[in-house]
Amino acid sequence: MLYPPGVYRAESDTELLSDVVRRGDHARGRDVLDIGSGGGALALAAARAGARSVTAVDLSLRSVAATWLNSRLARVPVRVRRGDLFGPVAGRRFGLVLSNPPYVPAATSDLPRHRKARCWDAGPDGRALLDRICAGVADVLTADGTVLLVHSGVCDAEATVTALHRVGLQAREIARVTVPFGPVMHARAQLLESRGFVAPGQRSEELVVVEGRRDDG
Ligand SMILES: C[S@@+](CC[C@H](N)C(=O)[O-])C[C@H]1O[C@@H](n2cnc3c(N)ncnc32)[C@H](O)[C@@H]1O
């Protein structure tokens, strides 16, 4: 995989969600949407897990280019679109939506417009992108569609479950692992402590995967 400067390099969160997709056979035969594709690791994992089609969306031009390049290098067909969350796929429906969105609590509610911080900064509670994804995802899921979201436990897995219930999905946490802080969380440790997101001295976090299912019977 190639990761040009400014593109999110696949991390433990990417690996956890890829693993869930593979083990749960979630992608087989489905049209899959990867929101916030970065270098395309999740899109490629879905394609390799037997997806019927894969569409990847990212706001960043560099990430769009990286997903396109990595999918071509891997000889895996991925449609790549640039834009904000579901905007580029308006009117389409998917059997599986995947996202590893920005979720790190930041000092302010201003979302970065440029540079790498856009990969992780997500407002004071880390939920700026997560809440938008939860609010909009039911509109892009097929009647039996599933969404799988990975994020840190510091931004509240229960809030994600509740937000998915609110739009009529059956939702539950399906995976959780503890990992040491990576460089971004380390750099934010004092802010996270001062806001009560982590205990004093805590330098590990839990990563969670939350599943939401549409079941329109
Ligand atoms: C944590 S990275 C995940 C990258 C990749 N999916 C992975 O797991 O390795 C989050 C990605 O979301 C993208 N992003 C941020 N805001 C977005 C938005 N409003 N719409 C679409 N993508 C966005 C960032 O550019 C970044 O590539």
Side-chain angles (χ1 to χ4, degrees):
M1 298 276 286
L2 295 176
Y3 293 100
V7 174
Y8 187 81
R9 190 172 277 272
E11 294 276 355
S12 327
D13 43 15
T14 318
E15 279 169 29
L16 178 63
L17 186 49
S18 299
D19 205 40
V20 164
V21 169
R22 269 191 301 269
R23 285 171 193 260
D25 206 20
H26 290 280
R28 187 165 307 282
R30 295 189 140 182
D31 295 317
V32 178
L33 173 65
D34 175 15
I35 291 289
S37 61
L42 293 174
L44 263 62
R48 288 174 173 145
R52 181 165 63 185
S53 74
V54 182
T55 302
V57 171
D58 205 291
L59 195 55
S60 140
L61 188 56
R62 285 182 186 211
S63 296
V64 166
T67 297
W68 186 88
L69 189 61
N70 284 324
S71 65
R72 267 49 187 183
L73 288 173
R75 298 183 185 281
V76 162
V78 175
R79 289 186 198 120
V80 191
R81 301 284 181 265
R82 184 182 185 200
D84 180 30
L85 300 188
F86 305 114
V89 294
R92 290 196 57 201
R93 300 265 176 181
F94 299 86
L96 178 65
V97 174
L98 303 174
S99 191
N100 175 15
Y103 56 71
V104 179
T108 72
S109 54
D110 299 332
L111 295 182
R113 292 178 58 82
H114 302 290
R115 297 191 301 271
K116 209 162 179 184
R118 187 159 60 186
C119 296
W120 48 75
D121 275 4
D125 60 0
R127 296 202 55 87
L129 278 297
L130 274 166
D131 285 339
R132 288 183 57 210
I133 292 171
C134 292
V137 73
D139 295 336
V140 300
L141 287 177
T142 54
D144 62 348
T146 299
V147 55
L148 296 172
L149 302 172
V150 65
H151 62 79
S152 172
V154 304
C155 42
D156 195 353
E158 204 44 50
T160 302
V161 169
T162 303
L164 292 173
H165 283 157
R166 208 173 285 136
V167 295
L169 303 187
Q170 296 176 11
R172 67 194 174 111
E173 182 184 310
I174 59 168
R176 183 176 280 256
V177 295
T178 304
V179 296
F181 273 6
V184 176
M185 295 294 273
H186 261 298
R188 287 281 153 85
Q190 283 189 343
L191 177 83
L192 296 171
E193 284 180 5
S194 69
R195 300 247 182 94
F197 287 116
V198 300
Q202 182 184 331
R203 294 297 179 264
S204 65
E205 63 177 323
E206 293 185 309
L207 296 175
V208 297
V209 175
V210 175
E211 174 193 74
R213 282 179 183 272
R214 247 184 97 159
D215 185 7
D216 297 357

